[in-house]
Amino acid sequence: MTTLKQIVLGSAAVLSLAFSVTSCKKSYSVDGPETSPYVSSVYAVNSNRSVLALDPATGAKRWETKVGSDVYATPVVISRKLYVVDITGKIYRIEPKNGKIEASSSLGGAVYGTPLSYDRKLIIPVGNTVKMIDPTGNFTTVWSYTATDQVRTSPALNVSKTDTNKKVVFFAAGTKVYALQADNGAQMWQTSVSGAGNFASSVSAANRNYLYVGNDNGSLYALNSNDGSTYWSYPTGSAIKSSPISVGGNIIVGSDDRNLYSVDSATGLLRWKYTASDRIASSPFVYNQNVYFGSNDYNLYAINIIDGTLKWKFLTFSVISSSPFAYNNTLYFNSFDKNVYALNSEDGSQKWSYNTNATMNASMILDTISGSVVPSISGNYPY
């Protein structure tokens, strides 16, 4: 027979067990959705008005976004946001993770040159002006400078020759070269180079003492960065549309006369030249003692920087006027055959290619966790 005491004790045991099981349950906090990690991407733009993000390892397309018009300016990344400016002067702020256009604004004129990144701002050639734009919010104009002619080249930046605390913006337009104070756009000097035609080549300002720029008259000029006076000039056989780079005492530039030149930065004397089979409008890029450039003969070349000898060349299906860049032993470039290519930078073997289904007028960039890798057509190129 069950006693009252047994019932009470049994009920207490059941309650105790229930309490023990309940008290052993784990407690979980309520988390929001995980954010996508920031990944490296190659950014390309084509004449189909597409902005594309590609996986740098495989060439797989991550996303594709449409803008309003064709793009000639190389994209720029600031503070983990992608900025693209089309030829009509409309600027777009794009989220790199998914290609969503967050904001856009008209800058008021045509844009051909690549924006320069400085102090989290963008310095952009717009029509016959150069403007500093705050890319956050509504793209406010910080300052604007008006040149005599349309600015179709990319601006470059370096410290002042006489004051290392002052940053200077250099650019070429028409037959003149200009220097502006980076912080406020005030003109420091402008110069018309004697005997020069139009400047289609962007200024190289890697050396704080001298600027280097090519001209339609076929000459490569070294200018004093303090006042624009001519230090030396070197004549090539045709117009220079390639932008020069300055590396280890070499000024390297391509010419429409089919030659890539290496000129001594101090004397203006020729060190070596390499002859391709057609014009060289592509701006060279240096990586691991190799000089890389494209040509209208459809080839991408790798040249020994010491003596100018050919290391290898890679044949595409059309003209290469854009500028290559290299990262992690991989060379990236695009051809007018509508393809983006990734090659082994040492031997030229192809890693992958991606057909964008339209021609590309702008060079590409690679954005990584540690920063952007840019071609030499951009004023942010270190050489």
Side-chain angles (χ1 to χ4, degrees), residues 46-158:
N46 67 19
S47 56
N48 239 6
R49 303 181 294 106
S50 291
V51 182
L52 302 104
L54 307 178
D55 185 323
T58 66
K61 184 174 74 173
R62 292 204 164 109
W63 51 257
E64 180 175 352
T65 294
K66 293 289 186 180
V67 293
S69 297
D70 195 1
V71 179
Y72 280 71
T74 301
V76 178
V77 174
I78 302 178
S79 302
R80 298 288 170 86
K81 296 295 179 183
L82 176 67
Y83 295 90
V84 173
V85 189
D86 69 26
I87 194 171
T88 69
K90 192 169 186 179
I91 185 171
Y92 304 83
R93 182 168 65 245
I94 300 174
E95 170 53 57
K97 294 177 183 178
N98 54 28
K100 179 183 177 181
I101 296 176
E102 296 183 339
S104 63
S105 181
S106 177
L107 299 177
V111 173
Y112 291 91
T114 297
L116 172 70
S117 172
Y118 168 64
D119 194 27
R120 299 184 183 274
K121 307 292 193 303
L122 289 172
I123 299 173
I124 309 175
V126 182
N128 67 335
T129 68
V130 173
K131 298 181 178 183
M132 175 182 274
I133 303 295
D134 184 345
T136 61
N138 297 320
F139 301 103
T140 305
T141 299
V142 179
W143 56 254
S144 179
Y145 174 86
T146 302
T148 305
D149 300 279
Q150 186 180 43
V151 188
R152 299 176 67 96
T153 63
S154 303
L157 182 78
N158 208 330

Side-chain angles (χ1 to χ4, degrees), residues 2-19:
T2 304
T3 66
L4 179 59
K5 182 178 180 181
Q6 287 174 320
I7 293 174
V8 172
L9 289 175
S11 298
V14 170
L15 289 172
S16 176
L17 178 61
F19 177 79

Side-chain angles (χ1 to χ4, degrees), residues 351-373:
K351 293 187 174 184
W352 55 259
S353 66
Y354 178 85
N355 191 319
T356 70
N357 296 314
T359 55
M360 289 168 278
N361 292 304
S363 301
M364 308 179 300
I365 65 165
L366 167 65
D367 193 52
T368 72
I369 299 297
S370 56
S372 296
V373 183

Side-chain angles (χ1 to χ4, degrees), residues 29-45:
S29 61
V30 179
D31 292 328
E34 291 186 4
T35 58
S36 301
Y38 194 86
V39 294
S40 299
S41 291
V42 173
Y43 296 110
V45 289

Side-chain angles (χ1 to χ4, degrees), residues 198-215:
N198 286 321
F199 289 97
S201 168
S202 297
V203 173
S204 170
N207 184 324
R208 61 173 290 213
N209 296 312
Y210 298 101
L211 311 174
Y212 304 97
V213 61
N215 191 262

Side-chain angles (χ1 to χ4, degrees), residues 187-306:
Q187 178 182 299
M188 298 180 68
W189 53 259
Q190 64 169 285
T191 186
S192 295
V193 179
S194 178
N198 286 321
F199 289 97
S201 168
S202 297
V203 173
S204 170
N207 184 324
R208 61 173 290 213
N209 296 312
Y210 298 101
L211 311 174
Y212 304 97
V213 61
N215 191 262
D216 277 359
N217 70 359
S219 290
L220 171 66
Y221 290 96
L223 307 178
N224 188 317
S225 63
N226 195 48
D227 57 15
S229 58
T230 301
Y231 181 51
W232 55 252
S233 65
Y234 178 86
T236 72
S238 190
I240 298 176
K241 296 180 173 64
S242 169
S243 297
I245 59 173
S246 174
V247 186
N250 301 277
I251 309 303
I252 303 172
V253 70
S255 171
D256 278 1
D257 70 1
R258 303 180 301 148
N259 289 301
L260 183 79
Y261 293 88
S262 176
V263 178
D264 185 277
S265 62
T267 65
L269 298 176
L270 180 68
R271 288 189 170 181
W272 53 257
K273 69 177 180 178
Y274 177 84
T275 304
S277 299
D278 207 332
R279 292 173 294 169
I280 303 171
S282 170
S283 300
F285 188 97
V286 170
Y287 179 77
N288 284 350
Q289 296 298 301
N290 296 321
V291 184
Y292 301 97
F293 68 95
S295 170
N296 283 22
D297 66 10
Y298 300 8
N299 282 290
L300 193 290
Y301 290 87
I303 305 295
N304 187 311
I305 194 173
I306 303 301

Side-chain angles (χ1 to χ4, degrees), residues 118-119 157-160 163-170 180-184 188:
Y118 168 64
D119 194 27
L157 182 78
N158 208 330
V159 296
S160 167
D163 183 358
T164 57
N165 293 316
K166 182 183 295 183
K167 293 292 182 71
V168 183
V169 176
F170 303 97
L180 312 178
Q181 291 184 35
D183 291 329
N184 56 26
M188 298 180 68

